[in-house]
Amino acid sequence: MSYIDGFVAAVPTANKERYIKHANEAAEVFKEHGALNVIECWGDDVPEGDVTSFPMAVQCKPDETVVFSWIVWPSKSVRNERIAQVMADPRLGPDTNPMPFDGKRLIYGGFERVVDR
């Protein structure tokens, strides 16, 4: 079954177009290195929570928007094999394609699919 890398971040709302450009360029690199699909979502209805929430998790500021993204890989082994190639690709380097958000507040993780209907 496929393997998922998931991401949540806070992006300055003014950087929406820069983020979309960055995400499209990164998606091309991920797909060239074996990813099956790259999904990027701009927060539209992301409420603040009392105990937990996406905005709280990424310390979202009033002038920022939460983004939720995931990358679908054929398997964990393919992802593990190819992720180093993705990270070494010069098209994703900070001088070539700087992240238009604070990467220190990016939350990410790898997930095994358990339901796929």
Side-chain angles (χ1 to χ4, degrees):
M1 193 174 285
S2 58
Y3 192 76
I4 309 297
D5 278 330
F7 308 87
V8 180
V11 177
T13 304
N15 287 353
K16 183 177 182 179
E17 294 307 315
R18 281 182 54 211
Y19 179 81
I20 292 170
K21 180 179 184 298
H22 170 83
N24 274 304
E25 291 170 359
E28 184 176 320
V29 173
F30 277 99
K31 290 193 79 175
E32 284 179 18
H33 289 286
L36 299 175
N37 204 359
V38 178
I39 309 293
E40 294 282 350
C41 304
W42 190 260
D44 179 57
D45 184 14
V46 186
E48 288 280 347
D50 292 328
V51 179
T52 63
S53 68
F54 282 120
M56 291 169 71
V58 294
Q59 301 173 358
C60 193
K61 299 174 184 169
D63 63 340
E64 294 177 324
T65 300
V66 173
V67 296
F68 176 59
S69 311
W70 66 96
I71 300 169
V72 181
W73 295 95
S75 66
K76 183 177 182 180
S77 63
V78 170
R79 180 267 224 158
N80 288 346
E81 177 184 307
R82 306 282 176 80
I83 199 69
Q85 297 168 0
V86 170
M87 294 299 126
D89 193 300
R91 294 173 289 174
L92 294 184
D95 294 334
T96 307
N97 193 1
M99 292 190 300
F101 59 93
D102 180 1
K104 292 178 184 170
R105 291 184 286 143
L106 171 72
I107 298 172
Y108 64 92
F111 298 86
E112 175 185 337
R113 282 178 120 158
V114 294
V115 176
D116 187 355
R117 297 178 50 152

